[in-house]
Amino acid sequence: MKYVYILETLDSFHFYVGITDDLRARLAKHNAGEVPHTSKYGPWRLKTYVAFSNEKQAVAFEKYLKSASGRAFAKKRL
């Protein structure tokens, strides 16, 4: 399974979209400061995730969520 996930900081000011095979381990890495893009903002909590059995669909959905319309969709619907 591939997981596309959205993290938010505890104060809800920062969001991050990513993709992983192991959601728990990846969240732990974000909170440990091991991910350069998120290390300066934590701590992080999982806002939502979507599981995909097809890697190609997961990558496409992650790419969409990182686009302007995808960010607007996520803020409104997820």
Side-chain angles (χ1 to χ4, degrees):
M1 295 296 280
K2 288 285 186 184
Y3 301 94
V4 177
Y5 60 92
I6 300 174
L7 301 179
E8 67 179 352
T9 54
L10 296 181
D11 61 13
S12 299
F13 287 130
H14 296 94
F15 294 86
Y16 179 81
V17 174
I19 189 170
T20 187
D21 294 326
D22 186 346
L23 199 52
R24 289 176 195 221
R26 190 65 175 157
L27 180 58
K29 284 186 176 194
H30 282 288
N31 281 322
E34 297 177 18
V35 180
H37 286 91
T38 61
S39 62
K40 58 188 166 198
Y41 296 114
W44 296 90
R45 65 179 166 211
L46 185 63
K47 183 174 182 185
T48 192
Y49 69 92
V50 179
F52 290 88
S53 58
N54 180 304
E55 184 175 359
K56 196 173 191 178
Q57 288 177 331
V59 170
F61 188 61
E62 180 200 24
K63 185 176 179 181
Y64 167 69
L65 288 178
K66 289 182 174 183
S67 71
S69 61
R71 283 191 303 272
F73 167 78
K75 285 185 179 186
K76 188 172 184 178
R77 304 283 183 209
L78 301 178

